[in-house]
Amino acid sequence: MAKQEDIFKGVISHAKEYGYIFPSSEIYDGLSAVYDYAQNGVELKKNIREFWWKSMVQMHDNIVGLDSSILMHPTTWKASGHVDAFNDPLIDNKDSKRRYRADVLIEDYAEKLHQKAEKEIEKARIRFGEFFNEEEFVTTNPRVMEYKSKQKQIIERMAHSLETENLADVKALIEELEIACPESGSKNWTDVRQFNLMFGTKLGASAEGAMDLYLRPETAQGIFVNFLNVQKSGRMKIPFGIAQTGKAFRNEIVARQFIFRMREFEQMEMQFFVRPGEEMEHYNYWKEARLNWHLTLGLGKENYRFHDHEKLAHYANAATDIEFNFPFGFKELEGIHSRTDFDLKAHEKFSGKKLQYFDTEQNQSYTPYVVETSVGLDRLFLAVFSKSLKEETLEDGSTRTVLALPTVLAPIKVAVLPLIKRDGLPEIAHKIIADLKLDFNVVYDEKDAVGRRYRRQDALGTPFCVTVDHQTIEDNTVTIRHRDSMKQDRVAISDLYKIVNEEVSMTNWLKKLIK
Ligand code: ATP
């Protein structure tokens, strides 16, 4: 089995080789944690966004869209708490000069204890076979209990120190646990400092008159400040939602995981406004609905899990992450948060404008509560791309690389290949393309032997290859080859649209969401 690290490297190089993702400004040696989406990447990204958008906006009559600006009045970020509290604790290793997030160093240490406990449990499971009682073992085995209690103590102490801004204690904890720099192995640390993740910029021409602005670190605030505008102009009735996709910017301290953690990324967020007191019902609904949405993509149920937050942010009364099994382990893909009335109340206070809703059924005004679903488009891209990339061993012992993308998301749906470059076959291929391209992204390929062309389309993720041969001239039939099964069928050219559409149409994929 290939090591996790090698699999991840394979994903990154495949993304580059097949025109999905390039490092930004590569000719200048790139810019750290910033990436560009190439000719195929931009299509895959657009398709993911569209699938999300349609399932949120088009399929819910009480959810509407919004496209708010990246630049917002700076008081927005004072009200939201980002100016004062959107910080990460950073620490430098004096020997390697490497910078780390102090909380991540501690969490990684705690995760190792968790893994040790899991290893003991696994050993016992094998030893006791069918008589194994996990619950009993976990609550009685001294070693497992010690690992688990130490892990809990560490996380609790860190959370408390961060909450009370006791950064000296965060450093003390790193020293007590004897955490070493993963690069140099040294324990020679600087003090822990808070670092604000927002990118600053200026509005205005002259230095004196310029106004300090921020690039938005999340899209959500654009929704909150427009809450009443949308509600009134759309005559929306609670409960209702506002959905938005767009760029967000965070000056991340540590960003070494390809497009998982970038400094410029895209979010897809939906804020659902509800009656106070009814938020848990909606929170539970969206938790399940969002997981189902992910499962529809068919990447495997076992690759998702919930991580309910025990320690909640100051604005939340419930929160969970949908975690995905990335090539580097389970990590957050999407957050679902019950944000109470924190944001609307804060904007009301800072702006002096009322942001209340008049509920005609209850005959009273109130500040709605908010349930948010927030997913990173780039993380979703990485989830889909990395799980779809497979090395398969075929019956004849040869191997093939296939990017088994969910067909609805694939950048190119059909490749049309003339068997040879003459005898009128290219002309027929171009005619087929002219008909199909009104509905699908289609490419033409005549280079190399047809087997090699199939392999290239497999690696690109194209669900169908259509081959035009001499029989086509006689009876208007072609061979259609399916990417995943490699099955080939002889079909009439006039049936191609139907066969392809049945498999790739977004309508059919959206139908899977209806229970
Ligand atoms: P993390 O704990 O991984 O930093 P977060 O909890 O700060 O993430 P949220 O503020 O809840 O993230 O943002 C919602 C979603 O936006 C995340 O679930 C993730 O998919 C995405 N996201 C956040 N930060 C980044 C980033 N730097 N690069 C890419 N996607 C991101």
Side-chain angles (χ1 to χ4, degrees):
M1 267 253 295
K3 278 205 331 234
Q4 269 194 342
E5 215 171 289
D6 295 336
I7 293 175
F8 192 31
K9 276 192 192 148
V11 166
I12 298 170
S13 64
H14 195 90
K16 185 166 180 214
E17 189 180 345
Y18 286 90
Y20 277 87
I21 296 172
F22 303 144
S24 158
S25 14
E26 198 184 8
I27 58 167
Y28 296 106
D29 296 333
L31 184 64
S32 158
V34 186
Y35 291 90
D36 295 341
Y37 286 84
Q39 67 275 21
N40 292 313
V42 69
E43 295 288 340
L44 173 54
K45 196 176 173 198
K46 176 183 70 78
N47 292 341
I48 298 175
R49 193 192 295 111
E50 191 181 344
F51 189 46
W52 181 88
W53 186 267
K54 288 198 168 191
S55 59
M56 276 294 179
V57 180
Q58 192 171 313
M59 289 184 65
H60 289 94
D61 52 14
N62 59 353
I63 299 181
V64 292
L66 180 76
D67 184 11
S68 69
S69 307
I70 287 171
L71 299 177
M72 297 180 71
H73 192 284
T75 311
T76 309
W77 307 110
K78 195 76 196 142
S80 67
H82 283 81
V83 171
D84 296 321
F86 196 51
N87 301 320
D88 276 344
L90 67 83
I91 190 165
D92 293 291
N93 183 271
K94 291 185 193 163
D95 297 315
S96 68
K97 307 273 184 275
R98 275 284 208 177
R99 179 160 285 178
Y100 297 93
R101 261 173 68 175
D103 55 335
V104 171
L105 284 178
I106 296 169
E107 276 167 10
D108 285 351
Y109 183 95
E111 175 61 24
K112 279 190 196 128
L113 293 172
H114 172 74
Q115 281 167 7
K116 280 184 182 166
E118 288 298 311
K119 232 184 206 161
E120 292 291 332
I121 297 168
E122 202 41 47
K123 273 198 308 206
R125 193 191 313 280
I126 294 166
R127 190 158 10 113
F128 296 115
E130 59 179 298
F131 302 107
F132 183 58
N133 178 337
E134 181 166 336
E135 204 180 313
E136 189 186 321
F137 184 77
V138 170
T139 45
T140 52
N141 180 281
R143 218 177 284 167
V144 172
M145 282 163 61
E146 196 192 321
Y147 287 141
K148 286 202 177 259
S149 108
K150 198 161 172 214
Q151 180 199 7
K152 190 159 174 266
Q153 269 173 25
I154 291 170
I155 295 295
E156 278 177 1
R157 177 165 156 200
M158 178 184 80
H160 182 255
S161 309
L162 287 175
E163 214 162 86
T164 52
E165 286 282 317
N166 186 352
L167 298 181
D169 192 57
V170 177
K171 180 176 183 189
L173 184 57
I174 288 177
E175 285 176 338
E176 278 168 41
L177 297 174
E178 300 192 0
I179 295 176
C181 165
E183 190 157 299
S184 63
S186 130
K187 295 169 197 156
N188 194 5
W189 297 107
T190 61
D191 286 342
V192 177
R193 282 166 296 146
Q194 286 291 20
F195 176 76
N196 192 288
L197 299 183
M198 283 198 293
F199 279 104
T201 186
K202 288 196 186 294
L203 179 130
S206 65
E208 314 86 69
M211 189 182 201
D212 285 315
L213 295 187
Y214 298 102
L215 301 185
R216 67 180 176 197
E218 62 176 28
T219 56
Q221 299 304 325
I223 296 180
F224 293 127
V225 300
N226 277 301
F227 154 73
L228 258 198
N229 281 340
V230 173
Q231 190 271 320
K232 290 216 154 90
S233 59
R235 298 193 294 165
M236 307 301 292
K237 271 206 150 106
I238 270 184
F240 74 91
I242 305 177
Q244 149 151 269
T245 73
K247 286 275 170 105
F249 301 81
R250 294 182 188 179
N251 200 358
E252 299 279 2
I253 298 169
V254 183
R256 293 181 201 130
Q257 281 165 321
F258 193 38
I259 57 169
F260 178 82
R261 190 177 298 287
M262 295 199 286
R263 301 209 159 93
E264 172 181 342
F265 59 100
E266 195 164 335
Q267 289 187 313
M268 305 196 290
E269 299 199 297
M270 194 278 297
Q271 310 291 328
F272 204 66
F273 299 89
V274 306
R275 274 187 189 149
E278 293 181 3
E279 69 276 11
M280 286 319 289
E281 192 187 306
H282 294 285
Y283 170 76
N284 289 326
Y285 167 84
W286 282 110
K287 220 176 130 171
E288 197 199 333
R290 291 304 303 146
L291 181 63
N292 275 339
W293 184 89
H294 288 286
L295 294 179
T296 314
L297 295 176
L299 304 176
K301 202 169 180 217
E302 69 285 2
N303 291 314
Y304 299 86
R305 69 181 187 198
F306 282 120
H307 170 227
D308 292 332
H309 292 202
E310 278 159 32
K311 276 235 120 5
L312 294 167
H314 56 286
Y315 54 76
N317 65 2
T320 195
D321 296 335
I322 296 177
E323 294 187 336
F324 183 77
N325 189 10
F326 287 99
F328 35 83
F330 274 95
K331 291 268 187 258
E332 172 176 343
L333 172 63
E334 169 155 2
I336 295 146
H337 311 122
S338 174
R339 292 180 78 123
T340 69
D341 56 2
F342 173 83
D343 302 271
L344 290 180
K345 279 254 167 78
H347 287 305
E348 216 171 47
K349 183 170 148 221
F350 278 79
S351 69
K353 308 267 166 32
K354 252 194 155 54
L355 290 177
Q356 295 210 340
Y357 170 80
F358 182 73
D359 192 322
T360 46
E361 277 171 41
Q362 293 190 335
N363 203 23
Q364 60 164 335
S365 291
Y366 53 77
T367 309
Y369 270 42
V370 174
V371 174
E372 150 184 277
T373 73
S374 174
V375 60
L377 176 49
D378 315 87
R379 282 195 193 175
L380 202 45
F381 185 113
L382 182 59
V384 168
F385 191 87
S386 60
K387 268 297 165 266
S388 301
L389 185 60
K390 292 170 191 166
E391 242 352 280
E392 280 182 1
T393 306
L394 306 178
E395 273 173 18
D396 64 1
S398 64
T399 58
R400 72 158 181 162
T401 303
V402 56
L403 188 63
L405 295 170
T407 53
V408 65
L409 302 181
I412 301 161
K413 306 301 187 198
V414 186
V416 184
L417 327 169
L419 190 62
I420 52 170
K421 281 189 239 177
R422 45 181 206 302
D423 302 342
L425 303 187
E427 287 73 14
I428 302 175
H430 284 300
K431 169 83 182 53
I432 293 174
I433 290 176
D435 287 344
L436 290 179
K437 78 177 180 193
L438 294 169
D439 296 286
F440 313 112
N441 260 349
V442 188
V443 294
Y444 174 81
D445 188 5
E446 59 173 23
K447 198 167 171 281
D448 299 324
V450 82
R452 288 186 64 178
R453 282 183 263 168
Y454 284 157
R455 287 288 185 276
R456 180 161 169 79
Q457 295 302 330
D458 286 346
L460 269 167
T462 311
F464 296 105
C465 285
V466 167
T467 306
V468 177
D469 56 20
H470 291 93
Q471 194 184 326
T472 312
I473 303 172
E474 284 159 27
D475 63 5
N476 279 324
T477 64
V478 286
T479 304
I480 186 162
R481 174 185 179 273
H482 302 254
R483 177 195 66 198
D484 298 342
S485 64
M486 295 191 291
K487 212 168 122 265
Q488 301 189 14
D489 299 317
R490 193 84 205 173
V491 301
I493 292 176
S494 55
D495 286 341
L496 281 176
Y497 168 82
K498 191 166 172 283
I499 296 168
V500 174
N501 192 56
E502 180 67 24
E503 176 57 46
V504 310
S505 96
M506 199 160 282
T507 311
N508 285 348
W509 283 77
L510 288 170
K511 276 186 194 154
K512 297 183 192 194
L513 291 166
I514 305 168
K515 281 198 189 143

